[in-house]
Amino acid sequence: MCTYIRNKRNFIWLVYALEKDSKTVVSFNVGKRTNKTLSRVLETLKLSEAKKIFTDRLKNYRYLIEEQLHAVKRFGTNHIERNNLTLRTHIKRLNRRTICFRKSLMVLVCVLKIYFLNRQKL
């Protein structure tokens, strides 16, 4: 999910992984859309011994995920896209067109940690 810090030219990406059955967030990271940002979330998935990892068609995933674990299916990311919409609805700072914006990356990460922790308890 793409958002921005301070102004609309300073894009920042929220990368996160959902557990398939419970739909809870297993891991997340915020940063530029680089291999370093993606690999932090993928390391958590590898440690939890995920059987399959569904992603979008970003080329970086080919280099970071083993071929037998990686899957790019037409409907493989439906739940994460639905969760993106829920996030944008619940956290006004993630909205695309709003006067609410993030001034600090640290504040955004803290808000997301609190949000994801509270969602797991529900």
Side-chain angles (χ1 to χ4, degrees), residues 27-85:
S27 174
F28 80 95
N29 193 15
V30 179
K32 299 291 181 188
R33 199 169 192 186
T34 61
N35 287 350
K36 182 179 177 182
T37 305
L38 297 172
S39 64
R40 289 205 177 155
V41 174
L42 293 173
E43 286 300 319
T44 305
L45 295 177
K46 289 176 184 175
L47 288 174
S48 66
E49 299 174 0
K51 295 176 186 166
K52 212 51 148 165
I53 300 173
F54 295 96
T55 65
D56 57 359
R57 299 190 190 280
L58 183 67
K59 292 178 183 177
N60 297 28
Y61 291 120
R62 287 189 218 158
Y63 307 113
L64 297 171
I65 304 172
E66 298 169 13
E67 197 171 327
Q68 64 269 19
L69 287 177
H70 190 217
V72 180
K73 289 176 70 175
R74 184 173 174 195
F75 299 109
T77 59
N78 282 354
H79 295 296
I80 204 139
E81 294 298 334
R82 174 63 216 167
N83 202 40
N84 286 348
L85 180 61

Side-chain angles (χ1 to χ4, degrees), residues 72-120:
V72 180
K73 289 176 70 175
R74 184 173 174 195
F75 299 109
T77 59
N78 282 354
H79 295 296
I80 204 139
E81 294 298 334
R82 174 63 216 167
N83 202 40
N84 286 348
L85 180 61
T86 304
L87 273 171
R88 288 190 193 280
T89 304
H90 290 177
I91 303 174
K92 190 67 174 171
R93 299 166 189 234
L94 295 176
N95 239 344
R96 291 186 180 126
R97 295 180 182 168
T98 182
I99 58 173
C100 301
F101 63 94
R102 287 117 343 259
K103 292 182 181 179
S104 167
L105 180 64
M106 184 180 70
V107 172
L108 176 63
V109 171
C110 291
V111 166
L112 289 170
K113 282 183 182 181
I114 292 167
Y115 179 79
F116 290 142
L117 184 66
N118 285 336
R119 294 289 293 175
Q120 286 180 353

